Amino acid sequence: MYNKSKLFSKWWIRFVLAITVSLLVSEYGSPTNLFLRLHTWDFYNEYATTLVITVLIVEWVHYFHYWLERKFDWRAATTERLLLQILLTFIAPALLVYMLASLYFFAHGLNIHKTDYLYYAYPFIVVLISLLNFLYITVPAFLSSLKEKPLHQLEQDIDSLQKTDVLPVAEQSTTEPVGTQYREFVLALKGSDNVKLLVEDIGCIFILNSVVFARTYDRQAYILSNSLDELENELDPRNFFRANRKLIVHFKAFNAYSDAGYGKLELSIEPSPDVPTTVSQLKARTFKEWLDR
């Protein structure tokens, strides 16, 4: 697996971030100089509480951000990812801060609505949560662009290595024609990771909004840099069939087909793609021959 840099996966970086943010929140709007407050018990009491809340919020955002990275790719499920990102890593932590702060004030015999917390500190915290989301989304991609080769360049390098490992024609086995080696894996993009995806795990490959996706049998979607035409030529035709201009299907993913009229076939595929699964009249006979094995 080719992992992009996950800066915030290091716990100590998150902790340093929490310490810094807690200090900013504690001192935001304070009329007293920090160095004077360092000599008071109230400062440490307030700062310790703020630090605990901040650590909880940072860990919350961290957990759900990478959970969303695994489950909802930005390009494969843009709307769902955006809505869940806002709900789980912005609205939910903002509400959690409000509840924890209310509990803190209640423990000290105060009503949070009768303090200036909601007018000064809370809006500032909401801005910081927004900034935290921005960092989680942009920093790994930026670091990856500096440290790693693009996905298509990685594939070209691997293809070059594979070619250099092929025996000369004179030394190759005569039991199988030259040029019958097919892809065993593809490099794919999943969230912020470049991953090695075995072709045997791919149920279907389709193109949606000019982006090529591979869907595995556990219904995960991966982005590919290859075109469908390239993949059609590089994958074993005994296992993969080009159903239409937007879809390639694996033999194991096929369940059944029905008459779609005018000689066309409608395929039932699991995992199902996000594009039509119709086989044209011209390809219908070839498809049936492909099934007859």
Side-chain angles (χ1 to χ4, degrees):
M1 180 180 290
Y2 302 88
N3 289 324
K4 289 189 174 184
S5 175
K6 291 183 178 179
L7 176 66
F8 297 109
S9 63
K10 300 176 176 64
W11 69 267
W12 62 269
I13 292 182
R14 300 198 303 274
F15 188 66
V16 169
L17 179 64
I19 290 175
T20 305
V21 170
S22 299
L23 185 60
L24 290 174
V25 173
S26 297
E27 290 305 300
Y28 183 74
S30 175
T32 308
N33 184 280
L34 172 61
F35 296 101
L36 295 177
R37 278 168 46 82
L38 288 174
H39 296 86
T40 65
W41 167 250
D42 289 341
F43 168 78
Y44 294 102
N45 182 34
E46 179 184 340
Y47 180 73
T49 304
T50 305
L51 180 59
V52 170
I53 294 176
T54 304
V55 168
L56 289 174
I57 296 305
V58 170
E59 291 303 306
W60 178 290
V61 173
H62 173 79
Y63 174 82
F64 281 104
H65 174 78
Y66 283 113
W67 181 80
L68 290 171
E69 284 282 278
R70 295 190 299 269
K71 299 294 184 180
F72 300 92
D73 184 85
W74 277 108
R75 282 183 279 186
T78 305
T79 303
E80 295 92 333
R81 175 61 187 273
L82 180 61
L83 292 176
L84 288 173
Q85 189 83 30
I86 294 173
L87 176 63
L88 296 177
T89 65
F90 179 73
I91 295 177
L95 291 175
L96 182 60
V97 169
Y98 171 79
M99 290 187 292
L100 292 175
S102 298
L103 183 62
Y104 169 79
F105 283 107
F106 178 77
H108 287 77
L110 297 172
N111 185 336
I112 191 173
H113 296 282
K114 295 182 179 180
T115 68
D116 59 2
Y117 179 84
L118 296 178
Y119 299 98
Y120 293 100
Y122 189 69
F124 182 60
I125 293 172
V126 171
V127 172
L128 291 177
I129 293 174
S130 301
L131 180 60
L132 182 61
N133 273 276
F134 177 78
L135 292 175
Y136 261 91
I137 293 171
T138 60
V139 169
F142 174 72
L143 293 178
S144 175
S145 67
L146 295 178
K147 295 181 179 180
E148 291 192 348
K149 296 181 179 180
L151 183 60
H152 70 275
Q153 189 173 346
L154 283 170
E155 288 199 317
Q156 290 174 358
D157 292 346
I158 290 175
D159 288 341
S160 299
L161 290 173
Q162 289 175 336
K163 290 178 181 178
T164 59
D165 291 337
V166 176
L167 294 173
V169 174
E171 299 178 14
Q172 288 182 346
S173 171
T174 57
T175 59
E176 200 169 335
V178 178
T180 56
Q181 291 184 340
Y182 298 104
R183 274 187 177 273
E184 296 182 357
F185 69 90
V186 292
L187 288 177
L189 186 65
K190 180 63 175 176
S192 60
D193 295 333
N194 292 325
V195 301
K196 176 182 175 181
L197 187 61
L198 297 177
V199 297
E200 64 189 35
D201 295 331
I202 299 175
C204 61
I205 304 170
F206 58 93
I207 184 169
L208 181 66
N209 298 327
S210 301
V211 180
V212 177
F213 296 95
R215 179 155 288 162
T216 53
Y217 291 101
D218 58 359
R219 302 193 59 79
Q220 296 296 310
Y222 298 80
I223 296 176
L224 306 182
S225 64
N226 316 77
S227 69
L228 284 189
D229 291 336
E230 291 172 344
L231 292 170
E232 181 182 11
N233 294 325
E234 296 172 359
L235 296 173
D236 189 346
R238 284 184 52 83
N239 295 327
F240 290 90
F241 184 83
R242 181 73 177 269
N244 54 53
R245 63 187 183 89
K246 292 187 175 183
L247 175 65
I248 296 176
V249 59
H250 194 285
F251 182 80
K252 292 191 299 182
F254 168 77
N255 289 326
Y257 68 81
S258 58
D259 184 9
Y262 302 101
K264 299 179 181 179
L265 303 177
E266 186 70 29
L267 307 185
S268 172
I269 301 171
E270 184 61 37
S272 60
D274 298 335
V275 296
T277 60
T278 306
V279 177
S280 69
Q281 180 183 16
L282 294 176
K283 282 193 169 185
R285 180 176 179 180
T286 305
F287 177 74
K288 292 177 181 179
E289 292 174 350
W290 177 70
L291 292 178
D292 187 15
R293 58 178 66 190

Short mmCIF file of all heavy atoms in Angstrom, two decimals, residues 14-15 18-19 22 50-60:
data_model
loop_
_atom_site.label_atom_id
_atom_site.label_comp_id
_atom_site.label_asym_id
_atom_site.label_seq_id
_atom_site.Cartn_x
_atom_site.Cartn_y
_atom_site.Cartn_z
N ARG A 14 -1.17 15.86 17.53
CA ARG A 14 -2.51 16.26 17.93
C ARG A 14 -2.50 16.85 19.35
O ARG A 14 -3.24 17.80 19.63
CB ARG A 14 -3.47 15.07 17.86
CG ARG A 14 -3.59 14.46 16.48
CD ARG A 14 -4.84 13.59 16.35
NE ARG A 14 -4.89 12.52 17.33
CZ ARG A 14 -4.33 11.33 17.18
NH1 ARG A 14 -3.63 11.06 16.09
NH2 ARG A 14 -4.47 10.39 18.11
N PHE A 15 -1.67 16.28 20.21
CA PHE A 15 -1.61 16.78 21.58
C PHE A 15 -1.00 18.18 21.65
O PHE A 15 -1.49 19.05 22.38
CB PHE A 15 -0.82 15.81 22.46
CG PHE A 15 -0.87 16.13 23.93
CD1 PHE A 15 -2.06 16.04 24.63
CD2 PHE A 15 0.27 16.54 24.61
CE1 PHE A 15 -2.13 16.35 25.98
CE2 PHE A 15 0.21 16.85 25.96
CZ PHE A 15 -0.99 16.76 26.64
N ALA A 18 -3.56 20.52 20.54
CA ALA A 18 -4.57 20.74 21.59
C ALA A 18 -4.04 21.70 22.65
O ALA A 18 -4.78 22.58 23.14
CB ALA A 18 -4.98 19.41 22.21
N ILE A 19 -2.77 21.55 23.03
CA ILE A 19 -2.17 22.44 24.03
C ILE A 19 -2.17 23.89 23.54
O ILE A 19 -2.53 24.82 24.27
CB ILE A 19 -0.73 21.98 24.35
CG1 ILE A 19 -0.75 20.66 25.11
CG2 ILE A 19 0.01 23.05 25.16
CD1 ILE A 19 0.63 20.08 25.35
N SER A 22 -5.80 25.24 23.28
CA SER A 22 -6.34 25.48 24.63
C SER A 22 -5.84 26.80 25.21
O SER A 22 -6.59 27.54 25.86
CB SER A 22 -5.96 24.33 25.55
OG SER A 22 -6.49 23.12 25.10
N THR A 50 -10.16 23.45 29.73
CA THR A 50 -10.14 23.74 28.30
C THR A 50 -9.32 22.71 27.54
O THR A 50 -9.69 22.28 26.44
CB THR A 50 -9.57 25.15 28.04
OG1 THR A 50 -10.31 26.10 28.80
CG2 THR A 50 -9.63 25.50 26.57
N LEU A 51 -8.21 22.28 28.13
CA LEU A 51 -7.35 21.29 27.48
C LEU A 51 -8.07 19.95 27.33
O LEU A 51 -7.99 19.31 26.27
CB LEU A 51 -6.06 21.10 28.28
CG LEU A 51 -5.06 20.07 27.72
CD1 LEU A 51 -4.63 20.46 26.31
CD2 LEU A 51 -3.86 19.94 28.64
N VAL A 52 -8.78 19.53 28.37
CA VAL A 52 -9.52 18.26 28.30
C VAL A 52 -10.57 18.33 27.19
O VAL A 52 -10.69 17.40 26.37
CB VAL A 52 -10.19 17.95 29.65
CG1 VAL A 52 -11.16 16.77 29.51
CG2 VAL A 52 -9.13 17.64 30.70
N ILE A 53 -11.30 19.42 27.14
CA ILE A 53 -12.33 19.58 26.11
C ILE A 53 -11.69 19.60 24.72
O ILE A 53 -12.19 18.97 23.78
CB ILE A 53 -13.15 20.86 26.35
CG1 ILE A 53 -13.96 20.73 27.65
CG2 ILE A 53 -14.08 21.14 25.17
CD1 ILE A 53 -14.72 21.99 28.03
N THR A 54 -10.57 20.32 24.59
CA THR A 54 -9.91 20.43 23.29
C THR A 54 -9.39 19.09 22.81
O THR A 54 -9.51 18.75 21.63
CB THR A 54 -8.75 21.45 23.37
OG1 THR A 54 -9.24 22.69 23.84
CG2 THR A 54 -8.12 21.65 22.00
N VAL A 55 -8.79 18.31 23.72
CA VAL A 55 -8.30 16.99 23.35
C VAL A 55 -9.45 16.11 22.85
O VAL A 55 -9.33 15.40 21.84
CB VAL A 55 -7.58 16.32 24.54
CG1 VAL A 55 -7.32 14.84 24.25
CG2 VAL A 55 -6.27 17.03 24.83
N LEU A 56 -10.58 16.15 23.56
CA LEU A 56 -11.75 15.38 23.14
C LEU A 56 -12.22 15.80 21.75
O LEU A 56 -12.55 14.94 20.91
CB LEU A 56 -12.89 15.55 24.15
CG LEU A 56 -12.70 14.87 25.51
CD1 LEU A 56 -13.84 15.25 26.45
CD2 LEU A 56 -12.62 13.36 25.36
N ILE A 57 -12.23 17.10 21.48
CA ILE A 57 -12.70 17.59 20.19
C ILE A 57 -11.73 17.21 19.08
O ILE A 57 -12.15 16.76 18.00
CB ILE A 57 -12.89 19.12 20.23
CG1 ILE A 57 -13.99 19.49 21.22
CG2 ILE A 57 -13.21 19.66 18.85
CD1 ILE A 57 -15.31 18.81 20.97
N VAL A 58 -10.44 17.37 19.32
CA VAL A 58 -9.44 17.01 18.31
C VAL A 58 -9.51 15.52 17.99
O VAL A 58 -9.47 15.12 16.82
CB VAL A 58 -8.02 17.41 18.78
CG1 VAL A 58 -6.97 16.83 17.85
CG2 VAL A 58 -7.87 18.93 18.84
N GLU A 59 -9.63 14.70 19.01
CA GLU A 59 -9.74 13.25 18.79
C GLU A 59 -11.03 12.89 18.08
O GLU A 59 -11.06 11.97 17.26
CB GLU A 59 -9.63 12.51 20.13
CG GLU A 59 -8.26 12.58 20.77
CD GLU A 59 -7.17 12.04 19.86
OE1 GLU A 59 -7.30 10.90 19.38
OE2 GLU A 59 -6.19 12.78 19.61
N TRP A 60 -12.09 13.59 18.41
CA TRP A 60 -13.38 13.37 17.73
C TRP A 60 -13.24 13.65 16.24
O TRP A 60 -13.63 12.82 15.40
CB TRP A 60 -14.44 14.27 18.36
CG TRP A 60 -15.80 14.18 17.73
CD1 TRP A 60 -16.16 14.62 16.48
CD2 TRP A 60 -16.99 13.61 18.29
NE1 TRP A 60 -17.48 14.37 16.24
CE2 TRP A 60 -18.02 13.75 17.33
CE3 TRP A 60 -17.28 13.01 19.51
CZ2 TRP A 60 -19.32 13.32 17.57
CZ3 TRP A 60 -18.57 12.57 19.75
CH2 TRP A 60 -19.57 12.72 18.77
#
